[in-house]
Amino acid sequence: MSSGKRSMAFVDFDNIAIPAKRFHSLNYIDFNKFRNILLRGYRGVGCTVYLPHKMGNLLPVIQKSGLNVTVVSPGKSVDGRLIFDLLINAYHDKFDVAIIAGGDRDYRPVIEEVKSMGKEVIVASFSRNLAHAIRSVADDIIDLDTVTADIAAQIYTYTCQNPECGKSFKTPRRLNRSKALCPDCYKESKSKS
Ligand SMILES: [Zn+2]
């Protein structure tokens, strides 16, 4: 069942990735699947992941999934940037339904503001990370606890090809087996070159 309503998703990376790891041992999210769950049932018109600068190494992985990524500069607020984009897009009538992935209480004022502009706001969050202040204002809640298996990235296991290392490691990236280096050896090889 699909509605003609235009939906736009805003993903607060830390607010999703940290509880995913803590509560569900979910270390790698497949952002393509994640977007499909967020926009399910609507006409998706955009999905942006707000990534703190320190996680910038994930930029190519997430972009490869076809999502927009905004990397927030060091010292700048991720939720501040997300809130700004949410308001601008609401103001210019770019969506009918906003989906915020992240249950932080700081989003309450912007949710109320966007709703007052005649928009619907849905919040996607892990239940233990969802502030009561948010639960009471959102038009609907997507409980991410129920979809963890659906958003888990496929994980590949490799053996590090540095002969002095040789340890086994896991990654969501598909590597060339004969050239695979564990994250430590990869870092070292990069710093040498
Ligand atoms: Zn290694």
Side-chain angles (χ1 to χ4, degrees):
M1 193 178 59
S2 177
S3 135
K5 288 179 184 168
R6 299 163 300 158
S7 75
M8 192 177 279
F10 303 83
V11 179
D12 178 340
F13 179 84
D14 274 353
N15 228 290
I16 296 303
I18 292 172
K21 202 171 283 193
R22 184 175 299 155
F23 303 132
H24 297 283
S25 306
L26 179 59
N27 290 320
Y28 300 105
I29 292 169
D30 182 323
F31 280 91
N32 184 34
K33 293 178 184 168
F34 188 55
R35 174 193 45 201
N36 292 343
I37 283 180
L38 295 180
L39 301 177
R40 187 161 58 193
Y42 293 106
R43 184 153 67 84
V45 291
C47 181
T48 303
V49 178
Y50 293 82
L51 201 61
H53 186 262
K54 64 179 194 303
M55 302 304 294
N57 61 323
L58 288 177
L59 178 66
V61 179
I62 301 175
Q63 275 177 333
K64 227 169 136 186
S65 313
L67 283 74
N68 306 320
V69 184
T70 295
V71 180
V72 181
S73 317
K76 296 267 165 60
S77 143
V78 169
D79 45 348
R81 182 62 200 268
L82 188 156
I83 287 168
F84 178 79
D85 287 356
L86 179 55
L87 283 172
I88 287 286
N89 281 287
Y91 180 75
H92 289 288
D93 190 28
K94 299 289 189 191
F95 61 77
D96 304 304
V97 183
I99 296 150
I100 303 174
D104 197 283
R105 65 167 66 250
D106 291 349
Y107 292 124
R108 181 175 173 134
V110 74
I111 292 173
E112 290 176 322
E113 184 63 26
V114 170
K115 282 178 69 177
S116 78
M117 297 163 84
K119 309 295 187 188
E120 283 176 49
V121 181
I122 296 173
V123 172
S125 177
F126 293 101
S127 61
R128 273 180 280 187
N129 211 47
L130 179 61
H132 287 291
I134 299 296
R135 193 185 290 274
S136 55
V137 292
D139 288 302
D140 202 358
I141 302 288
I142 298 172
D143 180 2
L144 295 179
D145 291 342
T146 64
V147 297
T148 51
D150 303 321
I151 62 175
Q154 185 176 355
I155 301 299
Y156 305 94
T157 304
Y158 297 97
T159 304
C160 180
Q161 296 301 304
N162 173 2
E164 287 163 31
C165 175
K167 79 175 174 197
S168 151
F169 65 100
K170 293 179 193 303
T171 173
R173 300 180 201 208
R174 199 192 283 271
L175 306 175
N176 180 339
R177 263 181 204 288
S178 64
K179 291 178 184 164
L181 291 175
C182 74
D184 293 336
C185 294
Y186 178 73
K187 235 180 250 168
E188 208 173 300
S189 74
K190 261 186 119 180
S191 69
K192 275 180 194 160
S193 63

